[in-house]
Amino acid sequence: NIAQRKAESTQPFFQVVQLTETSFDPAEWGKNFPAQYESWAKTAEMPASEQATPPAGDPRAFMAKSKLAADPRLVTMWQGYAFAVEYNEPRGHAYMLLDQQLVKRVQPPFKQPGSCLNCHASVPEVLNAIDPKDPAGAWATMNKMPYADATKLAKHPVTCIDCHDPATMKLRITRPAFVEGIKAYKATQGIANFDPNKDATNNEMRAFVCAQCHVEYYFKGDAKTLVFPWKNGLTANNALDYYDSIGFSDFTQSLTGAKVLKAQHPDYETWAQGIHAKNGVTCADCHMPYTRQGAVKVSDHQVRSPMADEAQINKSCLTCHHQTEAEMKGRVETIQSTWKESSSKSFDALDQLIRDIAAAKAAGNVNPDWIAAAQQWQRKAQFFQDYTVSENSRGFHAPQYALSIVADVTDAARRGQLALRGITEPVTKDPAKDYTPMKATPAPTTAAPATPAPAATPTPIVNPVYSPAAPAPTATP
Amino acid sequence: NIAQRKAESTQPFFQVVQLTETSFDPAEWGKNFPAQYESWAKTAEMPASEQATPPAGDPRAFMAKSKLAADPRLVTMWQGYAFAVEYNEPRGHAYMLLDQQLVKRVQPPFKQPGSCLNCHASVPEVLNAIDPKDPAGAWATMNKMPYADATKLAKHPVTCIDCHDPATMKLRITRPAFVEGIKAYKATQGIANFDPNKDATNNEMRAFVCAQCHVEYYFKGDAKTLVFPWKNGLTANNALDYYDSIGFSDFTQSLTGAKVLKAQHPDYETWAQGIHAKNGVTCADCHMPYTRQGAVKVSDHQVRSPMADEAQINKSCLTCHHQTEAEMKGRVETIQSTWKESSSKSFDALDQLIRDIAAAKAAGNVNPDWIAAAQQWQRKAQFFQDYTVSENSRGFHAPQYALSIVADVTDAARRGQLALRGITEPVTKDPAKDYTPMKATPAPTTAAPATPAPAATPTPIVNPVYSPAAPAPTATP
Amino acid sequence: MRGFLVLIGAGLVGVTVGIMGFTFGYANGFAYFADDPATCKQCHSMNKQYDAWAKGSHKTVACQECHSPEKHSQPVQWLLSEADNGFWHSLKFTTGAYPTNIKIRDHNKELVRENCLNCHGNLVSQIEQPSLHSNAQIDCLRCHNEVGHKR
Ligand SMILES: [Ca+2]
Ligand SMILES: [Ca+2]
């Protein structure tokens, strides 16, 4: 009621308890910040339409839907890797620890390192359990531990202490992988020794806290150190160049023998290429919009899709856009369906390349150099396709950029199919300089000649036949 | 000074002359509307950086730059058609008639119909010269006339009377092709018998007047009637379906023998797929922004690029976007360079398909059915590539949509190259239903097996060998 | 039975009028009839617009000059609009049943559009001219929807 409203607006919160670096229990924080705590807890809510029934024996009442069932081309692409066995839609933060503990990817025969916890648990609590005196050392220990052991030390999913300084409530970065990653990235922009906890603006932090997890990553060496591949920049191309330069691959694709990469949720990197990022619109603006709570506005800690319902669209999009909720929904649907249609075509191209290489290996009569070239193209095509389907906005975070990745997938996959047949096509850098047009003789007229005679020397040869002595085409994806 | 301002503002214009349907001379209109007339005349201005030197004997002091020189892949693509001989950047409306009269495409050996005048001259004047009593009959006559004769009747480029009703100054449509086209398109939306001059809103008219010319078109039959292919809708796919359904092609590509289409400046159709169109932002908003003239504001009739200079960016973009001029310029550059990079890759794919087909025909040992299938793919790839490079905003009018066309080009061209080798790849419609993943045996583990054994029956066969008895692959682009 | 329903009906009207009276009075609904922007600001719901207005190009123009019919030339419309808006604002404010980002209703948007012309009629006389007899033809807000108070 109004009397209460008027009171609320003058006193936003009471300092009920003193919070410290060992206030691991979010309920403690909730005494000072009930609105944020309550909405944070609501990440356990899940619309019935998104729920799936867990297999027999699973302790969960419901889980998220399978992405493998929705598009089994994922299964083909991931042959030789744990993802081919189980991969689901993401859901609320409340489930991150549980869903990780129960996924088949951490069960035998698969083995995972403690590193996995970086993004699925309240890490300060884990490090404290390992060694309260030496967080850096504890982190190294956690990374190398078998997952099954490490996860026993974890008690909560991401919680207040992971994102906030208990003394000032300021946002802060708690993950070493991000500190290193953003330092490397800022260096490419000419900014040396960037430290997000000292140098970042408040607005940057509103994306950085999310970018500790919603990013592409790999585990480096035997130490299983979590690393973000940002040394060359944040694009998909930059990441591929980085992995190529260090000779890294996640697994050997078992159908083709290609050494391939796994791309995971590059939400932050993709957002960074879009127009929202360019205009300083952050993850928190859309996924944690300000919500009227009586007379004050608080950040909605029920992190979720801004399209969840009309009220959510109103809170997030309509802060900046003067359109109706229905119009904003329509915009998102148009972008996502354009992406979906195009990325399905590129997925076919990748799938067909994989089957082709498998068939060529089975046939046994194909030039091994051609196979090697095709595998090299598969590496690119597969990383890019994985990149775009693992990104969680289905094209929305950067619509044009996402489509440029899709276009590259098709080109790489189809070039791979041609390479497998001995055909290497050039890439035109500057058409005005390094390209000569092919012209028909005689000179063209409006009425085209009935039997055109191609003039230039026909390259490449159609259907080259394999002979082990033939010069090997160079593999240069 | 203030007194003068007040006088100007209460009397926005003096009805100096009475305008009628035979006021063909824009200078007459200029007596009533000096501001609009002066800016209209300024379309003859051309920045020095965009000027090229005409060939010897050409009456023009300067002309626009050659697009063929900037990207000679156009020359290869257009073998067998007049465009391969001359194709330039567009420039101001003042030049439309002259540039058409002097282009090599209307000189022998090429023959063009009077239809060409629809978009390059003040048409009411031409029709009046043919038959002042019967505009519809005069239009039919003009279309069929040889261009060389018809153009003698034209005196002005597009002028006031083409866009405005002389009695009310309201915007109006003067081109039958648009009246028919928009009627067909609106019918696909469930609106029957739409007549733009009666049913369109003022805001629609601010795009419709431009859409009389800045659209993809073809000349129908011997009557050479100008027609816009909008029966199925406004997308590139819709246009291709339309042409396929009536069995139309513009020319036979002389290198490959494929029956192909020419796409011309689909500026309106592309804009219509973008977010600006969805928000009612019209061509006039960006290309004819309001300009302060003393105490009144008027539409800038110097139709040109909104990026021409800072002042222009300010007038057009900054009305709605509260960023700086430099930021808006940056946005456009990002969009255009992403488009440029991707569309260059797709152009390579098309170019390589063309060379492949030419080589296959020259070699003479390739299954004719495979060649036919490849030609069919060329038709699609070439129409789409032409569509995206002939559109004048280099991706800006609908950034994501433009990239989806580019992605389709690569897919079609590369499928064509495969078809030429006897390989027909399926298209997955609903992966959850009509797709079966290929799985490796044994079951995958994190450590991938050293020698994977592909299980599923390998399809398709690598390097099929031509034998005239072999079953022909179906050509289904 | 019929009498019973009438009784309930009467009761409902009474309760409604009572709530109206309370909310309208307590939530300062009468402020709506004043011309001073500070009266709009009495509701925190209007803070965002007020703050942006105070920094904007129209800080010399009162809220009402855009959001109400012109008082002197259209007294009846003015009164009706004030009563309508005053009532709804008070009710929504009291019940809290309004979204985080409030949106202008269509008829109020139309009203704002017409008010632009009260001040800028001369300036836009040329661009309005092709459609002189239908004011609604050019929508100022398509380009200038942030003039009152940027979001
Ligand atoms: Ca990865
Ligand atoms: Ca055409």
Side-chain angles (χ1 to χ4, degrees):
Chain A
N1 69 45
I2 299 166
Q4 190 191 331
R5 293 271 165 78
K6 286 198 168 161
E8 274 171 7
S9 67
T10 43
Q11 266 189 314
F13 72 88
F14 303 92
Q15 178 86 358
V16 178
V17 293
Q18 177 75 30
L19 298 169
T20 70
E21 287 293 359
T22 52
S23 302
F24 299 123
D25 186 356
E28 282 297 293
W29 298 60
K31 292 179 186 154
N32 287 350
F33 310 106
Q36 286 82 1
Y37 176 71
E38 275 161 35
S39 59
W40 172 87
K42 278 197 188 153
T43 57
E45 284 181 6
M46 206 184 166
S49 63
E50 290 176 11
Q51 298 175 6
T53 313
D58 193 295
R60 292 167 291 190
F62 48 82
M63 61 184 289
K65 290 195 171 145
S66 167
K67 281 197 184 179
L68 297 181
D71 195 339
R73 287 174 294 189
L74 294 166
V75 175
T76 305
M77 159 165 103
W78 287 328
Q79 285 303 301
Y81 208 50
F83 273 84
V85 175
E86 183 178 349
Y87 175 53
N88 304 311
E89 295 284 347
R91 54 176 179 155
H93 279 170
Y95 298 104
M96 58 171 68
L97 185 52
L98 190 66
D99 283 349
Q100 188 178 54
Q101 289 166 340
L102 294 173
V103 75
K104 292 208 187 87
R105 307 202 298 268
V106 303
Q107 320 293 345
F110 306 110
K111 284 200 194 102
Q112 304 294 357
S115 290
C116 292
L117 283 180
N118 274 286
C119 303
H120 286 264
S122 184
V123 167
E125 196 169 11
V126 178
L127 303 190
N128 187 66
I130 296 174
D131 184 349
K133 304 271 158 56
D134 176 16
W139 188 59
T141 308
M142 175 189 83
N143 285 339
K144 285 198 294 281
M145 281 170 87
Y147 175 78
D149 300 339
T151 197
K152 288 185 193 130
L153 306 173
K155 298 277 165 288
H156 293 100
V158 66
T159 177
C160 322
I161 202 167
D162 293 84
C163 295
H164 292 282
D165 181 324
T168 63
M169 285 309 286
K170 275 197 167 175
L171 291 177
R172 65 168 179 185
I173 297 301
T174 48
R175 305 302 200 259
F178 182 80
V179 175
E180 290 307 314
I182 199 71
K183 190 168 137 191
Y185 172 60
K186 288 276 182 177
T188 68
Q189 315 249 298
I191 303 165
N193 288 316
F194 183 83
D195 176 348
N197 284 321
K198 292 201 193 100
D199 305 325
T201 63
N202 182 60
N203 205 46
E204 282 183 311
M205 289 301 268
R206 290 167 58 86
F208 284 179
V209 290
C210 316
Q212 300 181 90
C213 303
H214 288 266
V215 294
E216 152 61 4
Y217 70 90
Y218 77 112
F219 294 145
K220 189 174 171 182
D222 290 335
K224 298 288 172 192
T225 316
L226 176 64
V227 177
F228 303 159
W230 297 349
K231 237 181 192 149
N232 304 322
L234 294 181
T235 67
N237 261 317
N238 293 152
L240 181 59
D241 286 350
Y242 172 83
Y243 288 128
D244 285 349
S245 74
I246 60 166
F248 180 82
S249 65
D250 284 284
F251 67 107
T252 303
Q253 220 276 359
S254 58
L255 296 170
T256 67
K259 300 225 172 302
V260 294
L261 298 160
K262 174 77 191 78
Q264 286 98 340
H265 33 71
D267 304 332
Y268 168 73
E269 300 93 315
T270 304
W271 160 85
Q273 311 307 318
I275 199 146
H276 282 109
K278 227 160 261 153
N279 285 276
V281 185
T282 64
C283 322
D285 288 328
C286 296
H287 293 284
M288 299 181 66
Y290 289 118
T291 291
R292 194 168 39 79
Q293 290 269 341
V296 293
K297 287 199 176 175
V298 299
S299 299
D300 186 352
H301 280 63
Q302 186 185 358
V303 177
R304 60 177 155 158
S305 164
M307 312 319 283
D309 55 32
E310 285 233 330
Q312 210 59 24
I313 300 176
N314 180 292
K315 276 194 260 181
S316 57
C317 320
L318 267 53
T319 307
C320 301
H321 296 282
H322 295 253
Q323 280 81 4
T324 63
E325 288 85 352
E327 274 158 4
M328 296 314 290
K329 202 169 167 219
R331 277 193 193 180
V332 174
E333 280 167 2
T334 305
I335 292 169
Q336 292 186 333
S337 69
T338 303
W339 174 83
K340 197 178 169 197
E341 201 174 307
S342 289
S343 68
S344 179
K345 293 179 188 166
S346 63
F347 214 157
D348 275 351
L350 171 63
D351 189 76
Q352 289 153 8
L353 170 62
I354 291 173
R355 287 168 192 264
D356 260 18
I357 302 179
K361 294 193 86 170
N365 65 346
V366 178
N367 186 333
D369 293 331
W370 298 351
I371 292 181
Q375 286 168 331
Q376 197 61 18
W377 284 114
Q378 184 193 341
R379 179 176 159 96
K380 176 175 181 176
Q382 177 155 344
F383 182 61
F384 276 37
Q385 183 68 27
D386 203 352
Y387 202 93
T388 199
V389 297
S390 298
E391 208 280 332
N392 283 290
S393 68
R394 282 167 279 152
F396 175 81
H397 288 146
Q400 192 201 20
Y401 171 73
L403 266 269
S404 79
I405 291 182
V406 165
D408 275 2
V409 172
T410 302
D411 195 46
R414 300 295 188 201
R415 279 178 183 263
Q417 287 184 288
L418 294 169
L420 198 56
R421 291 159 179 93
I423 301 155
T424 313
E425 299 286 22
V427 173
T428 308
K429 293 277 177 218
D430 179 354
K433 289 195 191 120
D434 48 55
Y435 175 88
T436 314
M438 181 170 179
K439 289 191 189 166
T441 39
T445 61
T446 19
T451 45
T457 29
T459 49
I461 298 147
V462 179
N463 287 344
V465 180
Y466 172 54
S467 98
T474 37
T476 45
Chain B
N1 68 48
I2 300 169
Q4 191 191 329
R5 291 267 170 88
K6 285 211 166 145
E8 273 173 11
S9 70
T10 42
Q11 272 191 310
F13 69 91
F14 303 93
Q15 182 84 355
V16 177
V17 292
Q18 177 75 32
L19 298 169
T20 71
E21 287 293 358
T22 53
S23 302
F24 299 124
D25 186 355
E28 282 296 294
W29 298 59
K31 291 179 187 153
N32 288 350
F33 309 106
Q36 286 83 358
Y37 176 70
E38 275 162 34
S39 58
W40 172 86
K42 277 198 189 154
T43 56
E45 284 181 5
M46 206 184 165
S49 63
E50 290 177 11
Q51 298 175 6
T53 313
D58 192 295
R60 291 168 292 191
F62 49 82
M63 61 184 289
K65 290 196 172 144
S66 167
K67 280 196 184 180
L68 297 180
D71 195 339
R73 287 174 294 190
L74 294 166
V75 176
T76 305
M77 158 165 102
W78 287 328
Q79 285 303 301
Y81 208 50
F83 272 84
V85 175
E86 184 178 348
Y87 176 54
N88 305 312
E89 295 284 348
R91 54 177 179 153
H93 280 169
Y95 297 105
M96 59 171 69
L97 185 52
L98 190 66
D99 283 348
Q100 189 179 54
Q101 288 165 339
L102 294 173
V103 76
K104 292 206 186 90
R105 307 201 299 265
V106 303
Q107 320 293 345
F110 306 110
K111 284 200 194 100
Q112 304 293 356
S115 290
C116 292
L117 282 180
N118 274 286
C119 303
H120 286 263
S122 186
V123 166
E125 195 169 14
V126 177
L127 302 189
N128 187 67
I130 296 175
D131 184 349
K133 302 270 158 57
D134 176 16
W139 187 59
T141 309
M142 175 189 84
N143 285 339
K144 286 198 292 280
M145 283 171 85
Y147 175 78
D149 299 339
T151 198
K152 287 185 193 130
L153 306 172
K155 297 279 164 289
H156 293 100
V158 66
T159 177
C160 322
I161 202 168
D162 292 84
C163 295
H164 293 282
D165 180 324
T168 63
M169 286 308 287
K170 277 196 170 179
L171 292 177
R172 65 168 179 185
I173 298 300
T174 49
R175 305 301 201 261
F178 181 80
V179 174
E180 290 307 314
I182 199 72
K183 192 168 136 191
Y185 171 60
K186 288 273 182 178
T188 68
Q189 315 249 299
I191 303 165
N193 289 317
F194 183 83
D195 176 349
N197 283 322
K198 293 204 191 98
D199 305 325
T201 64
N202 174 258
N203 206 43
E204 282 183 310
M205 289 301 269
R206 290 169 60 87
F208 284 178
V209 291
C210 317
Q212 299 181 91
C213 302
H214 288 265
V215 295
E216 152 61 3
Y217 70 90
Y218 78 112
F219 294 145
K220 190 175 172 183
D222 290 334
K224 299 286 171 196
T225 316
L226 177 62
V227 176
F228 303 160
W230 297 350
K231 236 180 193 150
N232 304 323
L234 294 182
T235 67
N237 260 318
N238 293 151
L240 181 58
D241 287 349
Y242 171 83
Y243 289 127
D244 285 349
S245 74
I246 60 165
F248 180 82
S249 64
D250 284 286
F251 67 108
T252 302
Q253 219 276 1
S254 58
L255 297 170
T256 66
K259 300 226 173 300
V260 293
L261 297 161
K262 174 76 190 80
Q264 287 97 341
H265 33 71
D267 304 331
Y268 167 72
E269 300 93 316
T270 304
W271 161 83
Q273 311 308 317
I275 198 145
H276 282 109
K278 226 159 263 155
N279 285 278
V281 185
T282 63
C283 322
D285 291 348
C286 296
H287 292 285
M288 298 181 67
Y290 290 124
T291 280
R292 182 99 188 222
Q293 289 273 341
V296 294
K297 56 186 224 189
V298 298
S299 298
D300 186 351
H301 280 62
Q302 186 184 357
V303 177
R304 60 177 154 155
S305 164
M307 312 319 284
D309 55 32
E310 288 232 329
Q312 211 59 23
I313 300 175
N314 183 296
K315 274 197 262 183
S316 58
C317 322
L318 266 51
T319 314
C320 301
H321 296 282
H322 299 272
Q323 280 82 7
T324 63
E325 288 85 352
E327 273 159 4
M328 295 314 289
K329 203 169 167 220
R331 278 194 193 180
V332 174
E333 280 167 2
T334 304
I335 292 168
Q336 292 185 334
S337 69
T338 302
W339 174 84
K340 198 178 169 197
E341 201 174 307
S342 289
S343 69
S344 179
K345 292 180 188 164
S346 62
F347 214 157
D348 274 351
L350 171 63
D351 189 77
Q352 289 154 8
L353 170 62
I354 291 173
R355 285 168 194 262
D356 259 20
I357 302 179
K361 295 192 87 168
N365 66 346
V366 178
N367 186 334
D369 292 332
W370 298 353
I371 292 182
Q375 286 168 331
Q376 197 60 19
W377 284 114
Q378 184 194 341
R379 179 175 159 97
K380 174 174 182 176
Q382 177 154 344
F383 182 60
F384 276 37
Q385 182 69 26
D386 204 352
Y387 202 93
T388 199
V389 298
S390 298
E391 207 281 333
N392 282 290
S393 69
R394 280 167 281 152
F396 175 79
H397 288 146
Q400 193 202 19
Y401 171 73
L403 266 270
S404 78
I405 292 182
V406 165
D408 275 0
V409 172
T410 303
D411 195 45
R414 299 295 188 202
R415 278 177 183 266
Q417 287 184 289
L418 294 169
L420 197 56
R421 290 158 181 97
I423 301 155
T424 313
E425 299 286 22
V427 173
T428 308
K429 293 277 175 214
D430 179 353
K433 289 194 192 121
D434 48 55
Y435 175 90
T436 315
M438 182 171 178
K439 289 191 189 166
T441 40
T445 62
T446 18
T451 45
T457 27
T459 48
I461 297 146
V462 180
N463 287 344
V465 180
Y466 173 53
S467 99
T474 36
T476 44
Chain C
M1 183 67 191
R2 198 189 166 92
F4 181 65
L5 279 179
V6 170
L7 211 81
I8 290 187
L12 280 177
V13 169
V15 170
T16 312
V17 169
I19 291 175
M20 271 171 69
F22 171 73
T23 61
F24 199 66
Y26 188 84
N28 257 326
F30 287 107
Y32 216 98
F33 288 87
D35 278 347
D36 182 358
T39 61
C40 304
K41 190 182 146 70
Q42 288 181 6
C43 280
H44 57 71
S45 322
M46 299 291 104
N47 281 355
K48 189 172 150 190
Q49 287 76 18
Y50 182 88
D51 294 346
W53 167 82
K55 282 182 236 129
S57 59
H58 284 71
K59 57 177 168 289
T60 58
V61 178
C63 313
Q64 301 285 44
E65 291 182 84
C66 286
H67 288 290
S68 296
E70 219 283 308
K71 203 189 312 191
H72 304 290
S73 58
Q74 301 170 284
V76 178
Q77 288 91 327
W78 176 79
L79 202 68
L80 284 175
S81 170
E82 297 299 279
D84 167 60
N85 285 320
F87 171 70
W88 284 112
H89 287 217
S90 304
L91 183 67
K92 295 281 177 97
F93 182 74
T94 307
T95 59
Y98 60 98
T100 298
N101 287 306
I102 53 189
K103 284 168 299 176
I104 193 158
R105 287 178 287 165
D106 284 348
H107 67 275
N108 278 338
K109 199 166 183 172
E110 203 48 55
L111 220 170
V112 174
R113 279 187 193 124
E114 281 162 21
N115 282 338
C116 307
L117 298 178
N118 288 339
C119 299
H120 299 294
N122 280 347
L123 181 78
V124 300
S125 54
Q126 280 248 351
I127 65 168
E128 279 277 302
Q129 177 207 314
S131 45
L132 209 51
H133 303 292
S134 49
N135 268 344
Q137 290 268 300
I138 290 215
D139 177 4
C140 313
L141 304 188
R142 195 159 51 79
C143 298
H144 298 298
N145 69 2
E146 301 201 326
V147 286
H149 29 81
K150 281 189 188 178
R151 286 208 186 181

